[in-house]
Structure formats: structure tokens, C-alpha cells
């Protein structure tokens, strides 16, 4: 058995002894944009004041999903009074095709179009009225070809993106064949719209010497800088990308912010005028990528006691018309197909398929939710077949602590609390008693059908591409004792800036209100990773800590000389200097203090540097995607949720009256922010699992392209009884202040609601002879549940 043990951190971020005077970390302080959010005063891209020379920019997209462009009619639009420029691929140059992993996505379509709405013609005008008229005058003539819109069609024609990948160990096929019981099937999980509140947006300002400043609603300022420079044939030092905040992102602005940024940058570069691109909601939903739909073909072998001895899963994802991040998303799917379970003989394969819809992209969970949903479907099926409680199957197969604790890719699972979390949650949620009560209710209630299920999660934290596990931070201390911090992390509402504010404040022993986070800019933080993979605080917070400690070391050396004197016989010792409560003192003379502000002023006059750039790289992560072995993650965030559902037997409508959730996020930096992330993430996952359904027409056009046709969870969908607790745990020594990442893991627990629906349906099908499985797919919408109810009734 291959086993890879995590390496020790090169420079531990977490000290065994706490920072003296640490008063901010662990407290619920307000999100740094909270007032701006609720009052509407927080500025976003479209709130930036317009320059007098600024142009309005929009595009005309492909009218069909697939075909050859025969001609473009742009003359009437170009001649319209108020139209400043009309651009096509011919105006872009030799770098019109780009991509984060594979160079296969056109900025503006050239000889062929690949999906409905794909940008073809770009227009810049003096005002919105002229812009709208110009768009109506553009004609894109296409010789249409038959699009590929179904996964099965792409699979049959081997229309793939990237190579097939595999992770596994043992001999799954032999183990399954030799097991007492075997089951197999197909499981589908649908896509999901990110539905951020601020649509894709960018503003570009031209400067001297060919320079451009691009304000972008992006999770990845460095990628915007890189792609703008590459496509426009500039050098990176000529481009600055700035992001103050985003009105949500959820992965949808990790790569997909590039095209609107390119639009604004191209116009600004060609015309010498400022340019602004703001997608409306319908356009944004129609032409941007989403969570990947998946098809999983699976086989499992198991024993009478529920022990899984062998598992095979073949995953196929719908990547859309270009690669985007699809192969990396699939990689994480394979790495999470085990979820919380030790499977001795396993084989997981993954293949991305190319279809004629917008290129699908990152979404909170990044392929993990599709894997976990597939595995939990299998767990439910095993329990249904054996007619036992699914929780017992989960506990039987859960990872161990002293043995059965190595993943299929060879990483030793340390800090495992999965069984403890599930058993604790089973007790606090009255899981066993409620199962009995629900079974009794279902036998007598002709109107409502109820279900209950628990789903655990083990989510790996780190980028699976080694080079992305790095960050830098710039910390500037001023002579009034206040601090500015700049990192490569972007704030999209998740509270990253607030947490770093607390961390930095405690490093200097000052009030958190004396620390402020500056807008993210490639001018201050270069070559940064996207704010993704739930690692924003881990990476950028650690980099900020390293910068602070460099400054603190200098200040401590300086302060040591101030406090020591020949009169008291004390030798200057930086080791005895304490930073606490806004003052600095020598622990040997605690009654003699100097304010932090006064110390910084004195330090400046003595030419002590009170600014620093910190750098951090995640230790011990290394994964070989060719062999499928290694340590892709620094640690795992764990948790479990129990969801109860109530189903209308006549319409299939699903409601979720109660959820109990328990998460291990280490020592919380900001409990209020973290609980917000956990509850919000769960609800978003529940929406994906039960309600959000993307519907495409036969022509490849998205039909559910607005809030009126696409249902995200509303406040009325939130469980009336929603209990969320943090699992007490301080054993994560790898991360800043023993915290754990919290952004993505809770979303995966939304699968518990889907599993509860499946449990409810199984109680009906169990009354039929044989093993009847209506094969519930995801999302469990009213239509899907009604289909299953009808099938069971007919069976």
C-alpha cells in the first residue's frame, strides 16, 4: 500500500504559545463591509464614477450553438452616429485564443461558433441607447451544424477534453465480483448557476506607454493581468488589475471574468478612452459557465454487514465548449470520490466531455460535490438493498484513526474525527428516535411522505496544483500605530479581509479597528493565486503573519533598547518585549509601557523599517496526477449534517423543516463569519441538491436564464429549525491560529437533503417485492420526485 505522510511545516504558522495580547481572533467582529452592504454604500465596479471620455461596451453573440461563420454584417452599426468602434476577431491579433489550462477558447469567435451567445462582435458607443441600437443592426450569418448537447452523445463520439484520469488501489473488479452482494447503476447530478448578485463587470483605463489599469470583478487579479497582457500583446508590467470587492463569485469569477475584462481592455487600448462592460443578469446567466453536470456509472460490492469491499466509479462531466478549468475540477472529483469512507479496493476514472454550451467552470466545491453526491447515492442504495439504516452503513465504512486511514491516492488521513462527528450528531439530533417516528408517520399519513438522512464530508484543503499553494502580503505600519495590509486574496463577501484584519491586529497587539485591508492589486501583490479552494485565509493570512513577524522582530529589537538601562542592570532582550492592548513593554518591567503608536514613531526617526512583504508556501503538498498518488492536501475539513424532508405525495414538492449540522473548522478566527459561511454554504448546496435545475432547449439555448425561471433557495426555503454547531477541535497545527478552511466544505453537506428524499422514497419502494429503486437523480426537484413516486406506484 502506498502511503504518503504529510511533511512538517518549514516554518510553523501556529506557535504553541499564543500571541501575547491576542484579543481579536476568536471574536465575532463585524464583516468589514457589513455597513456598506446593508446601506448600499459599498462600491462595486459599476459604482465607479464614469470618466467624461468613457465608452459603453457590449457584444453580440452567436445565434446558434454550433456552425461555421459565413459572414458578418457590421457596416450599418459602424456607421451609426455615436458608435465609436466595432471590433471582431480580426482586430484582436494572433492571441485571440486563450485558456487557463488549454489554449482552446476564443475571445471573439472567428470561423466557427461553439455555443449560443458566444461573443462574436464587440461594440463601443457613447451611450447605452446608441449601443442597443447598434447591437440590433449586427448580422452574424452562420451555416448551422448539429450541436452536441448531451453527455451520452459526447461520450459515444469520444468528444473529450483532456486525457482520462484514474485514481485507485487494489483490485476493485475482483473484489466486487467476489463480494456477497453487487449493485450497479447510473447517477446524474445537474449543473448549477453561481447566481452571484454582481454580474460580470470590468472597467479599463488607458495610461501612458501603452499601460492599462483594469478594475475587474474577479477572484484572480493575476489571471486578468496575464490574459489582458497576452491577448493584447502587452507585457505584464504594463497591466494592473484591481479588485476592491465582488458582489459574490462562488467560483464563477475565477476564470470567467477574463472575457469581460478583455472586452474593456481591448476597447481602451484601441480607442485610448476608458471603457466599461457590465453584463445584465440574463446575459450573464446565458453565456457564462456553471457547475458541471455529471454522469457517474458505478459498481459496488459489499457484505451482509454493509462493509463495502470494492467500488468502481466512472465519472463523465460536461465541460462545455472549451476546457476552462474542467480537467482540474474532474481531478478534485476523483480525489473526493471516497468521501468519508475507507474503501480497500477502489477505481475512480474521470473524463471531461466537450459539448456546445458555454464552457463550464469553477463552482464552490470544485467537483467535490458531484463526487460526494455519487458516493452518498451508493451508500443509500446499499442500505436500501440490505434494509438497514444508512447511518450504520456510513459508520461501518468510515475512515479509521489508527488503521483504515489511507486514501486511495495514498495520503495518510490525520486528524480524523469523522466517526466522532457522526456519532455526536446522531445523539444531538435524536437521529435514531426520529427515524422511528418518521417510519410510523409514513405508514399513516396519506398526504405527506417524510425522510431523514445524515451525510458526512471530508474535504481536502489546498490547490491540487502545487504551484498555486503560495501567497504574498504587504504590511505597512504607520507612525500613528495604524496598519494597512495588501494581499492577493479577493473579498467576495466571504469575510477574508475581516479575518486577516483580526490576525494582523493580534500580531501587533492592537485593536482590529486600527488595521485596514486595501483593494487587491497586482501592483502590490504579484503572481498571486486565485481566491479559491477554500484556502484564502490559510494562504494570505499566513503570508500576512510572516510579514507582521518580520516587522515585530525589528520593533522588538528597537524597543528592547528603549526599556533596558544601566540603572536597572537589564540587558536589552527582544525576547522579553510584549505587544498587548495597544502598548509595548518589557515583561521584566511590566509597569513601564509605551504605546504602539509612539513606538512606531520613534522607530521611524531611528530609521527602523516598519513595513514588510511576507511570503508563504503550503508545506508538504505534492500530487502526481499521472500516477494518481501523493499528498494533494495539507489537511481535511470535516463535518456532517442531518436533514429531514417533507414531501407532498401528490405534487412531489420538497421542503426541509429541520437540519442539524456539525462542522470541524478548528479554532474559529471569527465565529460569526464562519457560521455565516457554514449556513450559507449548506443552503447553497441544498439548493443544488433539491431545487436548482438548468434547462436547455434543443437548440442549446439556456431557457432558465433569469430569476423567474431558475429557482435558488429563498428565505422561505431555509429550514425553520436550523441547528448549526462547531465541533471543538484544536489539533490543526498547520494553519494560522489553528483554524481550518470553511468556504466550500459545508456546501457538500447539502447532499444530506437529497439523501433524505431518497430515504423517503425508499420507504415506499421497500413495500414492493424485490429491490425496487426509482433511481432518484440530482437535483430532487418536484418533477423528479413526482417521477419517482409515479414509478413506485406503478411498480
Amino acid at each position: 500500500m502506498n502511503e504518503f505522510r504529510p511533511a512538517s511545516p518549514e516554518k510553523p504558522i501556529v506557535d504553541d504559545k499564543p500571541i501575547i495580547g491576542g484579543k481579536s481572533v476568536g471574536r465575532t467582529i463585524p464583516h468589514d463591509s457589513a455597513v456598506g452592504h446593508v446601506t448600499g454604500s459599498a462600491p462595486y465596479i459599476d459604482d465607479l464614477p464614469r470618466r467624461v471620455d468613457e465608452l459603453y461596451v457590449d457584444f453580440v453573440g452567436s445565434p446558434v450553438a454550433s456552425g461555421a461563420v459565413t459572414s458578418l454584417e457590421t457596416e450599418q452599426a459602424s456607421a451609426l452616429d455615436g458608435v465609436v468602434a466595432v471590433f471582431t476577431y480580426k482586430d484582436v491579433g494572433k492571441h485571440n485564443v486563450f485558456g487557463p489550462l488549454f489554449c482552446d477558447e476564443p475571445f471573439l469567435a472567428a470561423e466557427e461558433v461553439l455555443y449560443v451567445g458566444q461573443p462574436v462582435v464587440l461594440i463601443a458607443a457613447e451611450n447605452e441607447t446608441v449601443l442597443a441600437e447598434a447591437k440590433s443592426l449586427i448580422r452574424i450569418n452562420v451555416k448551422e451544424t448539429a450541436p452536441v448537447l448531451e453527455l451520452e452523445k459526447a461520450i459515444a463520439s469520444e468528444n473529450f477534453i483532456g486525457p482520462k484520469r484514474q485514481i485507485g488501489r487494489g483490485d476493485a473488479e475482483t473484489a466486487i465480483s467476489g463480494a456477497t452482494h453487487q449493485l450497479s447503476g447510473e447517477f446524474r447530478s445537474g449543473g448549477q448557476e453561481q447566481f452571484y448578485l454582481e454580474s460580470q463587470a470590468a472597467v479599463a483605463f488607458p495610461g501612458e506607454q501603452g499601460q492599462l489599469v483594469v478594475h475587474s470583478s474577479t477572484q484572480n487579479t493575476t489571471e486578468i493581468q496575464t490574459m489582458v497582457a497576452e491577448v493584447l500583446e502587452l507585457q505584464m508590467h504594463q497591466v494592473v488589475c484591481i479588485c476592491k470587492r465582488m458582489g459574490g463569485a462562488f467560483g464563477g469569477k475565477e476564470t470567467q471574468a477574463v472575457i469581460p475584462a478583455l472586452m474593456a481592455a481591448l476597447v481602451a487600448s484601441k480607442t485610448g478612452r476608458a471603457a466599461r462592460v457590465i453584463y445584465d443578469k440574463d446575459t450573464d446567466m446565458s453565456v457564462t459557465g456553471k457547475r458541471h453536470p455529471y454522469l457517474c456509472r458505478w459498481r459496488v460490492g459489499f457484505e451482509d454487514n454493509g462493509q463495502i469491499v470494492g467500488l468502481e466509479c466512472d465519472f463523465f462531466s460536461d465541460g462545455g465548449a472549451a476546457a476552462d478549468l474542467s480537467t482540474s475540477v474532474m481531478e478534485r472529483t476523483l480525489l473526493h470520490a471516497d468521501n468519508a469512507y475507507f474503501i480497500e479496493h477502489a477505481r475512480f476514472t474521470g473524463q471531461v466531455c466537450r459539448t456546445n454550451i458555454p464552457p463550464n467552470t469553477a463552482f464552490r466545491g470544485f467537483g467535490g460535490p458531484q463526487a460526494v453526491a455519487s458516493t452518498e447515492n451508493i451508500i443509500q442504495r446499499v442500505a436500501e438493498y440490505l434494509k438497514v439504516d444508512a447511518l450504520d452503513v456510513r459508520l461501518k465504512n468510515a475512515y479509521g484513526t489508527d488503521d483504515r486511514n489511507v486514501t486511495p491516492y495514498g495520503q495518510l488521513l490525520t486528524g480524523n474525527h469523522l466517526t466522532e462527528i457522526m456519532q455526536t450528531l446522531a445523539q444531538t439530533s435524536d437521529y435514531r428516535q426520529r427515524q422511528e417516528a418518521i417510519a410510523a408517520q409514513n405508514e399513516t399519513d396519506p398526504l405527506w411522505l417524510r425522510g431523514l438522512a445524515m451525510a458526512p464530508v471530508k474535504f481536502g484543503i489546498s490547490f491540487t496544483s502545487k504551484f498555486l499553494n503560495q501567497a504574498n502580503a504587504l504590511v505597512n505600519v504607520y507612525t500613528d500605530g495604524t496598519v494597512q495590509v495588501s494581499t492577493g486574496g479577493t473579498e467576495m463577501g466571504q469575510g477574508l479581509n475581516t479575518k486577516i484584519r483580526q490576525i494582523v491586529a493580534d500580531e501587533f497587539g492592537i485593536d482590529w479597528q486600527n488595521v485596514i485591508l486595501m483593494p487587491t492589486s497586482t501592483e502590490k501583490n504579484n503572481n498571486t493565486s486565485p481566491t479559491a479552494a477554500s484556502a484564502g485565509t490559510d494562504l494570505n493570512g499566513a503570508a500576512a503573519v510572516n510579514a507582521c513577524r518580520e516587522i515585530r522582530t525589528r520593533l522588538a529589537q528597537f524597543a528592547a533598547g528603549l526599556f533596558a538601562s544601566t540603572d536597572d542592570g537589564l540587558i536589552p532582550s527582544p525576547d522579553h518585549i510584549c505587544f498587548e492592548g495597544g502598548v509595548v513593554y518589557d515583561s521584566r518591567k511590566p509597569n513601564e509601557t509605551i504605546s504602539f503608536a509612539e513606538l512606531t514613531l520613534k522607530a521611524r526617526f531611528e530609521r527602523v523599517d516598519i513595513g514588510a512583504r511576507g511570503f508563504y508556501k503550503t508545506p508538504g503538498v505534492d500530487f502526481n496526477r499521472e500516477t494518481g498518488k501523493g499528498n494533494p492536501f495539507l489537511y481535511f475539513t470535516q463535518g456532517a449534517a442531518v436533514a429531514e424532508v417533507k414531501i407532498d405525495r401528490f405534487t412531489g414538492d420538497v421542503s426541509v423543516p429541520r437540519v442539524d449540522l456539525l462542522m470541524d473548522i478548528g479554532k474559529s478566527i471569527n465565529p460569526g463569519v464562519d457560521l455565516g459561511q457554514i449556513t450559507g454554504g449548506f443552503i447553497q448546496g441544498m439548493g443544488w441538491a433539491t431545487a436548482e435545475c438548468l434547462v436547455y432547449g434543443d437548440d442549446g439555448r439556456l431557457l432558465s436564464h433569469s430569476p423567474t425561471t431558475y429557482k435558488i433557495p429563498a428565505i422561505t426555503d431555509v429550514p425553520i429549525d436550523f441547528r448549526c454547531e462547531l465541533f471543538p477541535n484544536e489539533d490543526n497545527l498547520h494553519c494560522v491560529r489553528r483554524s481550518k478552511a470553511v468556504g466550500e466544505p459545508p456546501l457538500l453537506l447539502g447532499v444530506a437533503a437529497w439523501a433524505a428524499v431518497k430515504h423517503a422514497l425508499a420507504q415506499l419502494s421497500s413495500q414492493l417485492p424485490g429491490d425496487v429503486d426509482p433511481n432518484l437523480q440530482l437535483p430532487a426537484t418536484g418533477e423528479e420526485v413526482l417521477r419517482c413516486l409515479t414509478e413506485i406506484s406503478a411498480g
Side-chain angles (χ1 to χ4, degrees), residues 184 298 377 381 384 758 765 771-776 791-792:
S184 63
W298 57 271
N377 171 61
R381 281 292 294 126
E384 292 166 10
K758 189 162 179 61
S765 60
D771 176 43
V772 178
D773 175 30
N775 197 20
L776 177 70
E791 185 176 321
I792 293 170

Side-chain angles (χ1 to χ4, degrees), residues 5-6 405 412-417 634-636 638 734 740:
R5 292 181 179 270
N405 59 350
L412 181 68
L413 176 58
T414 58
N416 175 22
H417 299 282
L634 181 62
Y635 65 91
F636 298 89
Q638 303 159 59
H734 301 293
K740 282 190 174 185

